[in-house]
Amino acid sequence: MNDDTPEASQELSAVLEDVRRHLLWQEEAAGRVLLMDAKAAAELQRSAPSLRARLARATGMGESSAPARPAASASASGAMPERGPVSPPGPEPKAPLPPRPAIPASAPAMASPRPLAAMETPRQGAAAPVAHPEAAAPRPPLAARAPAARPVGPASTGTLLEVPRASPAVVGGERPTLDQVRRELGDCQRCKLCSGRKNIVFGTGNPRAELVFVGEGPGEQEDLQGVPFVGAAGALLTKMIEAMGFGRDDVYICNVVKCRPPGNRNPEPDEIAACEPFLRAQLAAIQPRVVVALGKFAAQTLLRDSTPITRMRGQWRVYEGIQLMPTFHPAYLLRNPAEKRNAWADLQAVMKVFGKNPGSRT
């Protein structure tokens, strides 16, 4: 049969249009990549014998020679766009063919692209990446760069729970001493709070205390003197400690952050992340029986619990095997005197652990 007859051209057009319906093209910056979905590939494989038979009838050649001359036949029918090599539909050959001529202006428009995985000639319905001369550049394959292939974490909310929990052994593998922790802290420049501070406020009290109070951060007076809880809130805390039957020299007092936040604002997550390892190292060095967390920042940071302090207070919790009592910060009590009764009830529960009888309320 003559290849140039109208019947042959129609047969070839029908075959190539059948193929075109199962192919999608997608532009890439490094080249053009041929994409084919698994369902279409499976259909092509099932129909491959009949396609080769139709090609053989249209060209008057045997089935074995049909794949060797698609370029000339495609030229007669305006088959495929010049967008890169494509493997024939049969399962035997794997090497890509030379580029095909562009589609004439009268050819029907192709379906709009949709995201698919890059594939080669299908085998038993499975998909595998196809090698492409132009896309074999330094860039990674499309599947490796697809956004859907990378799990996306939840958006940041800026909460304390996002601060990574650091190991307290920042000065070595063994239990540190407070002096070692202080030397490791040094003239700290680990966060932006260092730019506005006057003094690092590390901590004060008995290095072997059984009771530790942890606050939020230094205020103005603490920043000036380098000692925690020496302002108005510190005076109230001293009264609370004495009402419990202790003196300030009997307990240990420190804060989550060691430098004053500007304007006494709340410490931010990155600032807590920089200081928290040293707070945990302090508690690891002291090994107290009880920690009293003063306010939400101390309680939420140590416990990794976003429960509001109004609901968390008064309930025993455990931090690294140490009993922890959350209660209100003295500065909050100065602004809300009615809450002093609840705070005193929390401290009375702590007193019972040490076998002390409750005294008069602060």
Side-chain angles (χ1 to χ4, degrees), residues 97-114:
L97 296 176
R100 297 181 182 274
I103 295 180
S106 59
M110 296 178 67
S112 59
R114 54 191 173 94

Side-chain angles (χ1 to χ4, degrees), residues 176-210:
T177 66
L178 286 176
D179 288 341
Q180 288 175 317
V181 178
R182 182 62 186 90
R183 286 196 298 271
E184 180 72 13
L185 179 62
D187 183 26
C188 186
Q189 308 286 322
R190 294 172 177 83
C191 78
K192 57 185 177 292
L193 292 181
C194 67
S195 61
R197 71 164 183 246
K198 291 182 173 60
N199 287 291
I200 292 177
V201 183
F202 182 68
T204 186
N206 183 355
R208 289 291 179 260
E210 292 188 308

Side-chain angles (χ1 to χ4, degrees), residues 258-274:
K258 313 305 183 188
C259 299
R260 180 194 181 194
N264 291 343
R265 64 161 170 76
N266 292 333
E268 296 176 353
D270 63 313
E271 298 161 356
I272 296 174

Side-chain angles (χ1 to χ4, degrees), residues 71 112 157 176 178 193 217 222 232 243 246 258 281 300 317 322 358 361:
S112 59
T157 59
L178 286 176
L193 292 181
E222 289 78 7
F246 296 94
K258 313 305 183 188
Q300 292 181 356
R317 307 292 290 273
I322 302 169
R361 182 169 61 85

Side-chain angles (χ1 to χ4, degrees), residues 175-357:
R175 173 180 169 182
T177 66
L178 286 176
D179 288 341
Q180 288 175 317
V181 178
R182 182 62 186 90
R183 286 196 298 271
E184 180 72 13
L185 179 62
D187 183 26
C188 186
Q189 308 286 322
R190 294 172 177 83
C191 78
K192 57 185 177 292
L193 292 181
C194 67
S195 61
R197 71 164 183 246
K198 291 182 173 60
N199 287 291
I200 292 177
V201 183
F202 182 68
T204 186
N206 183 355
R208 289 291 179 260
E210 292 188 308
L211 177 60
V212 173
F213 291 84
V214 178
E216 174 182 318
E220 182 181 10
Q221 291 302 313
E222 289 78 7
D223 182 44
L224 291 172
Q225 301 181 42
V227 180
F229 284 93
V230 292
L236 178 56
L237 178 61
T238 300
K239 291 181 181 180
M240 294 163 66
I241 292 171
E242 292 173 347
M244 295 175 68
F246 296 94
R248 280 185 65 117
D249 292 338
D250 299 323
V251 302
Y252 192 84
I253 304 171
C254 59
N255 287 303
V256 172
V257 295
K258 313 305 183 188
C259 299
R260 180 194 181 194
N264 291 343
R265 64 161 170 76
N266 292 333
E268 296 176 353
D270 63 313
E271 298 161 356
I272 296 174
C275 264
E276 185 189 22
F278 297 97
L279 169 62
R280 294 183 178 275
Q282 286 174 292
L283 296 177
I286 299 169
Q287 288 291 301
R289 288 177 61 187
V290 176
V291 171
V292 176
L294 301 169
K296 73 172 184 178
F297 283 92
Q300 292 181 356
T301 299
L302 290 175
L303 296 175
R304 286 297 188 276
D305 188 340
S306 61
T307 303
I309 190 64
T310 52
R311 300 209 321 261
M312 193 189 303
R313 57 144 292 270
Q315 302 179 27
W316 282 109
R317 307 292 290 273
V318 176
Y319 162 78
E320 301 289 343
I322 302 169
Q323 295 187 80
L324 185 146
M325 173 59 72
T327 192
F328 294 119
H329 194 283
Y332 175 82
L333 296 177
L334 291 175
R335 299 190 303 269
N336 301 273
E339 295 288 359
K340 287 185 178 181
R341 183 182 300 275
N342 288 328
W344 178 237
D346 301 341
L347 298 182
Q348 285 178 316
V350 174
M351 293 168 63
K352 292 180 181 179
V353 174
F354 294 98
K356 293 182 176 292
N357 296 320

